[in-house]
Structure formats: C-alpha cells, structure tokens
Amino acid sequence: MKIFIFSSLGMVLVFSFFDGYRADNSGKDRSFLAADANRIYFLNVRGIHYDREMRRDAGMTLFRHSKRVESDSIPSFFPVIILNPAKDEAYIFFELKKADYPIQIFAQKGEESEILNFSNGNNSDHFQLLSQLKPYLEEDYSFQLKVGDNTFTLWAEENELSILKTVMEDYFRLLN
C-alpha cells in the first residue's frame, strides 16, 4: 500500500513539473498573444529596422519598416506591426495609402493565379490576409493590386518583396 501511495504522489509531482499542455480555461483569446521574450527580442534586435510611432491615445506602438517604398502617385499596401503592451498582444495591420477599400490582390505565378478580396476589417481580418499571402510569398508569386477599375503592380521590386517577407517573419516570430 505504501508503494502505491508514494509512487502515485511521485507521478503527480513529476507530471506537474512537465505539464506544458495545460488547458486554457480562462476564456481569453490568445491568438495575438506575444510572449515577453519574443517582444523583448523584437524591440531590442529587430525593432531597429522599423520606424516607431507611439500612439498614446490608443496605448500602442506602431512599427513600420524603415525601408518600405512609398510613392506619391501609386498606391502602396504594406503591413504595420502593432504592439499593445497593456494586453501583451501584437497585431498586424495592412496600411493602404493613396487608395480606398475594398481591394483585390492578384497573385500569379506562371499559369496559376489567385484572387484575394480584402476590405478593411479588424485584427483577425488582417491576420487572415497575412496568412493567405504567406504561401504565395514563399513561392515567389507576382502580385497586382486592383482598386476600383485600376490595377497596379504590388511588391514588384525585390527590395519590396524582401521587406514584406521580413515583416511577416518578424510578426510570426512575435506570436511564436
């Protein structure tokens, strides 16, 4: 009987130290949670490549890649990483300049082509767009932006594409 009791207590103690798969019953949405270590790494190492904008009214910091390309006449569509320290969350937001929503993004590689429709939405909508774009960016598709009846090349230069991939990698590293 003593062996059973002590072995049971020992197993409970051992499993309590290695319980990495605990159930989260808090009811909170953990989709955008940024761990402290990832946030500190981003701020101290990766953050030097970004222009920071402190939004005191919202209590958030916006990070725009410092080498992004902006034109006076052509619409641009680049992601912004938003850190919310009050909630320990990180969001992605695609910033559309010189155009209005809704837009369509055409991804094309050879004979294959896909159309992504996007209208400005909440955090989940922007995250979903980034998730949809990810496989096309990894496969080196070419992109076009359709706003109304006008079509523009999007992320056509290698520099623009590498900046977009860098922002995407930094954001997914933030979320772990």
Side-chain angles (χ1 to χ4, degrees):
M1 189 67 137
K2 291 179 184 179
I3 295 172
F4 176 73
I5 292 172
F6 286 120
S7 63
S8 298
L9 288 175
M11 287 178 56
V12 167
L13 223 131
V14 168
F15 287 140
S16 67
F17 286 115
F18 300 106
D19 187 15
Y21 300 102
R22 279 182 249 167
D24 183 11
N25 297 330
S26 65
K28 294 181 183 177
D29 183 17
R30 301 271 183 208
S31 305
F32 301 106
L33 185 66
D36 290 338
N38 296 337
R39 191 176 62 254
I40 290 170
Y41 174 80
F42 176 77
L43 291 172
N44 293 329
V45 178
R46 300 300 307 156
I48 61 173
H49 302 288
Y50 292 84
D51 296 329
R52 296 178 190 204
E53 178 185 348
M54 302 291 287
R55 296 292 308 261
R56 296 196 193 287
D57 56 336
M60 297 183 191
T61 307
L62 284 68
F63 292 86
R64 293 179 182 91
H65 201 281
S66 59
K67 294 184 180 178
R68 70 191 181 285
V69 179
E70 293 183 289
S71 173
D72 293 335
S73 59
I74 299 172
S76 64
F77 191 64
F78 270 103
V80 177
I81 296 175
I82 302 172
L83 289 182
N84 183 351
K87 293 185 178 180
D88 290 333
E89 292 183 338
Y91 313 113
I92 195 78
F93 179 80
F94 281 91
E95 199 170 40
L96 179 64
K97 292 189 177 181
K98 311 257 188 304
D100 293 319
Y101 291 103
I103 61 170
Q104 289 183 322
I105 299 174
F106 295 100
Q108 186 172 6
K109 181 178 180 183
E111 297 295 317
E112 295 180 46
S113 66
E114 292 291 328
I115 299 172
L116 303 173
N117 295 312
F118 186 69
S119 183
N120 196 8
N122 61 15
N123 300 332
S124 299
D125 295 334
H126 287 270
F127 180 74
Q128 183 181 8
L129 178 64
L130 183 66
S131 299
Q132 288 175 340
L133 284 172
K134 185 179 178 180
Y136 302 123
L137 290 168
E138 291 171 349
E139 296 288 325
D140 294 326
Y141 276 65
S142 61
F143 298 94
Q144 291 184 333
L145 176 69
K146 184 175 181 186
V147 180
D149 295 332
N150 300 325
T151 305
F152 306 94
T153 57
L154 188 62
W155 313 312
E157 297 178 21
E158 188 63 34
N159 183 32
E160 292 176 310
L161 204 54
S162 70
I163 290 169
L164 183 64
K165 287 179 182 179
T166 301
V167 173
M168 180 183 70
E169 289 170 9
D170 288 343
Y171 181 68
F172 282 120
R173 184 179 293 149
L174 256 171
L175 296 184
N176 199 8

